[in-house]
Amino acid sequence: MCSNEPVAVRTRFAPSPTGRLHLGHALAARVAHDFARGHGGQFLLRHEDIDVTRVRGEYFAEIEEDLLWLGFAWDGPALRQSSRLPAYDAALDQLRALGVVYRCNCTRREIQVELAAMLAAPQGPEGPLYPGTCRPPGGEARQHGAPTGHAWRLDSRKAAELTGPLSFVDLRHGTLTVQPELLGDVVLARRDIGTAYHLAVVVDDAYQEISHVTRGEDLLPATHVQRLLQALLGLPEPVYWHHPLVLDAQGRRLAKRHDALAISTLRQAGLSAAEVLQRLDEPQNT
Ligand code: GLU
């Protein structure tokens, strides 16, 4: 792209329909919506519904109803990741051809046992990392095969060797250097659903032509992996904006357990959309 060509701004809100939207989601949606509208751009909705073990059908409509009530209408039809599985398979094939993924048969229990036996278990921002049990010693990916019965993991070291140094731009933090091993050898295809979050997100951010990925700062570590995947797959590089999170009274980030702070609960309690959104601007949000 010519450097002085204006970038068409496209943002997205990408909830998982595994629970009701809460104040944290309202903030994420507002950031993405207002950024797009403020730049004359488009705001898209993507349901991240690949985890069939946790998705519940009723949440799709509830999420859309909440967004419309809050005043965040999206452009075009909402995308459902469950309709995009062949695209994720194709991306995994590409990574297999590059030799940067390997099969992993470890159970969660086996990983825990191995980590417990290690003198210095590898640590990531949110706890211990996969210890590399199934990583092929020569760095060669194993045989092709259907992604069932075993997971596929990213060989983060090998991937980084292939791409060389990478960075990404965050509107809050500036230019950040990718730390390819920050989250270790993440799973790119779960054994039960054949794909996984990081892979699906990068494929769809490119497919939906997202120029600016806005999301909570809890996902900042994920961006390191996702930028690496974009480079491996030859996908465009969005600009990022990791915004601060809405916290509960104890300073913890909101989760599904905060049902009292669900948008639908607040609405049923008689709050207006403006009152709900106002809470996002108060220092003590909840
Ligand atoms: N689906 C993710 C979530 O609900 C968001 C993914 C993203 O913004 O990249 O936390």
Side-chain angles (χ1 to χ4, degrees):
M1 186 189 287
C2 171
S3 60
N4 53 11
E5 194 176 307
V7 176
V9 168
R10 281 162 78 89
T11 64
R12 52 34 167 216
F13 175 57
S16 301
T18 55
R20 298 193 292 161
L21 295 190
H22 53 57
L23 283 179
H25 296 108
L27 177 61
R30 184 176 76 175
V31 170
H33 173 271
D34 289 1
F35 188 85
R37 297 290 176 247
H39 290 83
Q42 290 190 307
F43 167 64
L44 308 188
L45 173 61
R46 178 163 83 225
H47 291 291
E48 300 211 323
D49 62 341
I50 50 174
D51 187 353
V52 287
T53 64
R54 294 171 58 225
V55 166
R56 296 227 326 252
E58 64 269 31
Y59 291 132
F60 293 94
E62 277 188 36
I63 286 171
E64 295 188 1
E65 212 176 289
D66 285 348
L67 282 178
L68 294 175
W69 181 75
L70 288 167
F72 305 142
W74 56 96
D75 295 301
L79 183 68
R80 293 192 181 197
Q81 288 194 317
S82 54
S83 70
R84 302 261 309 137
L85 300 181
Y88 312 143
D89 288 346
L92 188 62
D93 277 346
Q94 238 182 299
L95 297 173
R96 270 201 287 259
L98 292 173
V100 293
V101 290
Y102 59 89
R103 292 180 203 205
C104 174
N105 301 310
C106 295
T107 62
R108 213 174 280 239
R109 175 92 193 114
E110 284 164 346
I111 295 172
Q112 275 169 2
V113 169
E114 173 140 2
L115 287 170
M118 291 173 91
L119 283 179
Q123 290 295 323
E126 288 183 350
L129 301 177
Y130 178 65
T133 322
C134 290
R135 187 191 305 126
E140 288 297 311
R142 291 187 205 168
Q143 295 271 301
H144 273 225
T148 48
H150 52 79
W152 287 93
R153 286 186 181 270
L154 176 67
D155 189 331
S156 55
R157 266 184 253 170
K158 205 169 170 218
E161 276 167 26
L162 207 64
T163 62
L166 295 168
S167 60
F168 59 91
V169 175
D170 181 288
L171 294 179
R172 213 168 126 232
H173 301 288
T175 300
L176 299 178
T177 301
V178 169
Q179 296 170 251
E181 289 165 48
L182 189 66
L183 295 185
D185 289 0
V186 292
V187 169
L188 296 183
R190 278 170 41 174
R191 78 173 75 202
D192 56 347
I193 59 174
T195 188
Y197 164 67
H198 295 293
L199 187 63
V201 163
V202 295
V203 169
D204 285 343
D205 282 338
Y207 175 70
Q208 292 189 292
E209 297 178 28
I210 302 302
S211 64
H212 292 75
V213 171
T214 66
R215 57 188 180 192
E217 65 189 354
D218 53 330
L219 287 170
L220 185 54
T223 302
H224 291 257
V225 179
Q226 293 175 16
R227 179 72 200 99
L228 185 62
L229 291 175
Q230 285 156 3
L232 292 166
L233 294 167
L235 300 175
E237 175 191 352
V239 172
Y240 289 85
W241 177 6
H242 293 93
H243 58 77
L245 300 177
V246 175
L247 302 176
D248 72 5
Q250 282 74 43
R252 297 170 306 178
R253 73 180 185 220
L254 298 191
K256 307 260 145 77
R257 66 178 178 273
H258 293 90
D259 226 30
L261 301 171
I263 305 303
S264 45
T265 308
L266 298 171
R267 179 172 57 198
Q268 279 149 24
L271 267 72
S272 68
E275 284 165 338
V276 169
L277 293 173
Q278 206 179 348
R279 289 178 71 165
L280 301 177
D281 299 320
E282 289 160 10
Q284 187 65 57
N285 309 108
T286 53

